[in-house]
Amino acid sequence: MIDWSRIDTVLLDMDGTLIDLRFDNHLWNVVVPDRYGEREGVARERAVEILYRDMLASKATLDFYDLDYWARETALDIDAIHEELMPLIRYREDAPAFVSAVRESGRPVVLATNAHPKSLAVKHKAIGLLDTVDSFVSAHDIGVPKEDVAYWQRLASDLGDGRYDPARALLVDDNILALEAADHAGVGHLMCVAQPDSGGQRRTDLPYPSFTRFAEIMP
């Protein structure tokens, strides 16, 4: 599925790729609407309607991933909810083994994420994520999300020590828009996670090569 002889660097997304998206889906689709609805005195269905309207309006922007923004929008303690649900944070199946295999092959692993620094900190606290990768490039440090070609151009600049060649990089992500932006920016090898939430359905008809378990694409 992957010609590893053509790959020097591996770029990995966090939520839905290394980490099971079940945590984020439960937090944003269940817990936040429930508590928002309780405070506003509206049914959960109405709370979901209101929140999704606002969330969809901010999609593919940094606000969409900004915990402080959603704390202001909802008047909920989003940080505390993350801490409360932290036991639900889990790696996707085979993810640690894949990262270890890539690094043992001599290829650096870069975490390429839209995650807000507070979200990244909670997930590192839960599973020691940052200890398993060589470096990370945050959209919040760059100032644009991964859905923007400029993110990948800046990433190339940040990693541009003479060893990073986008054409010889592999990006693994569950976000189609991020994959498209990376494609336009010249990232040469793209793989899509077909089932980012272990409790969800496997996606089909994806525009990029896809896999379900990391065991399918081990180096």
Side-chain angles (χ1 to χ4, degrees), residues 33-34 37 42-52:
D34 279 348
V42 299
R44 183 173 182 276
E45 292 75 12
R46 176 58 179 157
V48 168
E49 180 184 341
I50 295 168
L51 291 173
Y52 267 111

Side-chain angles (χ1 to χ4, degrees), residues 28 191 208 212:
W28 294 107
M191 289 292 301
Y208 295 99
T212 301

Side-chain angles (χ1 to χ4, degrees), residues 64-189:
F64 186 76
Y65 303 100
D66 188 335
L67 302 195
D68 294 332
Y69 172 82
W70 290 113
R72 292 191 299 271
E73 287 290 299
T74 62
L76 296 173
D77 191 339
I78 300 296
D79 296 349
I81 295 174
H82 272 70
E83 291 280 349
E84 176 188 336
L85 299 180
M86 193 167 63
L88 299 180
I89 298 171
R90 296 283 188 274
Y91 279 110
R92 290 187 64 254
E93 189 173 9
D94 301 329
F98 177 77
V99 173
S100 293
V102 171
R103 296 184 77 189
E104 287 170 7
S105 75
R107 298 173 177 89
V109 173
V110 179
L111 186 67
T113 181
N114 275 331
H116 188 266
K118 291 181 178 179
S119 176
L120 184 59
V122 168
K123 286 161 185 175
H124 174 62
K125 181 178 178 181
I127 59 176
L129 178 66
L130 295 179
D131 294 334
T132 68
V133 299
D134 293 285
S135 60
F136 71 94
V137 180
S138 167
H140 294 268
D141 291 333
I142 288 177
V144 293
K146 288 163 47 182
E147 294 88 341
D148 191 320
V149 172
Y151 171 92
W152 303 102
Q153 294 169 336
R154 173 65 184 277
L155 178 143
S157 176
D158 287 355
L159 299 180
D161 55 3
R163 292 177 294 176
Y164 176 72
D165 178 359
R168 294 185 59 83
L170 166 67
L171 169 63
V172 184
D173 208 313
D174 67 306
N175 183 332
I176 302 301
L177 294 178
L179 288 163
E180 289 176 350
D183 196 358
H184 290 308
V187 176
H189 306 271

Side-chain angles (χ1 to χ4, degrees), residues 190-209:
L190 304 163
M191 289 292 301
C192 187
V193 179
Q195 190 179 9
D197 182 334
S198 63
Q201 295 295 315
R202 188 184 190 281
R203 298 181 294 175
T204 59
D205 298 324
L206 293 165
Y208 295 99

